[in-house]
Amino acid sequence: MISKIVKSGLTRRTFLKSTAVTAMSAGLPGASLAAGNTIKIGFLAPLTGAVAAWGKPGLDGCQIWAARVNAAGGIKLGDGSYNVEFVSYDNEYDPAKARTGATKLIREDGVSFIMMLGGDTWPGVQPVAEKTGMLFSTLLPSDLSPDTNMLIAPAEVHPIYNVTGVEWLAETKPELKTAVMCAQDDALGLPSVATYLAAFEAAGIEMLDEPLLFDPATTDFAPVVTRLISKNPDIVCLDTCYSDYVHPIAEQLFQQGFKGQIISCTADFYDQMIAKTSEDFMEGFVFQFPDFDDPALNGDNINFTDPNGFYEEFNRRHPGQWGAVSWEYASIMDLWKAAAEKAGSASPDAVAAAMKEGKGKHAFGDADWWGTELFGIDNALVGDWPVVAIEKGKARIKDFRSIPAWYAKHGDLLVKHMKAYDQMWDQRS
């Protein structure tokens, strides 16, 4: 956690310098295809621990993606066709373990590409990326900076898409005038806080209190919720809290009698929240991640192949485990495969160049590579994003909203709040 790094006396910059020495001494070879007719892809994410819900379901989705691609003849490069195989490493959302994992995946496993959740783990990996030239992906564009030219964010544009949920809420429920917010105090929570504050300000919704930033070690959320609802807000925003926090907070909101609107970045395993509260309590809960059996995902704008079939297969293999990231790493692989086949090579630099030529085929529609204004580099694929609400116990897409269109009108607010929380790229370095 960034907070732990600071408490130990290390800044992000000194941490990077210290880890760079280790990475450089490792003597990493350049990336190359594995022997035989298989391309190996690294999956470096939390598979256990509090953040596992944003890692493990993604790996499960990738295995389905690999089965589909291999059954269809594999990845076709200039010198033939290759099956794809994922090699995973559980970084436990720890930057040092992420650094070890990146080194192993490149040096010992010979992967051609590494996917990460990012966030607090990226500072551990960045020196390895700089040394080896490996292409990495993150689900968190807030990892991006001008120093990360081989890091891309082609699927999720966290936390910027959160503006779409607030914008939709303000237009469809104009009677909601006030809000409060909580988040864990870390690299996932803070940029999301800044984004929600910008979105609420743009929508004319008043914040009744400063965002409540709780320690990631918190287990008792009764006092958190008591403070949140003490000012009688119309909206309680759960920011980008981990599932292990969203569930007990929602349960406390139910037990303490909150009757207002809830908005959250995610609602992973929302059926469990319904079971702990009620279908009525969860009705209208707004978040940003659809189930892929949603009819709205069958439109011509969607670039994810057979989303309904993917969802059905995922639930057949892993019943009750569908979450926000189940499709995201697979979506990244769609982009990676298309770029590798276009380049005729799995070489990281060739794939990166091919991937960024023209518009990108984002899962929710064609999108542009963007980000210089916020991240100092155009390595985030940004376009439309769905707004999802729970209706009668089921997640349903209510609308697709344009992130660039929102930014064109309110980008100054986002920059203002990002600066206030030290989340601009030049403040994070």
Side-chain angles (χ1 to χ4, degrees), residues 296-303 365:
L297 292 179
N298 295 323
D300 293 338
N301 60 313
I302 302 302
N303 292 315

Side-chain angles (χ1 to χ4, degrees), residues 91-113:
N91 66 30
E92 302 177 40
Y93 205 56
D94 178 275
K97 291 179 180 176
R99 181 185 68 243
T100 301
T103 302
K104 174 188 176 296
L105 289 169
I106 297 170
R107 186 169 63 177
E108 298 181 16
D109 299 309
V111 301
S112 296
F113 174 49

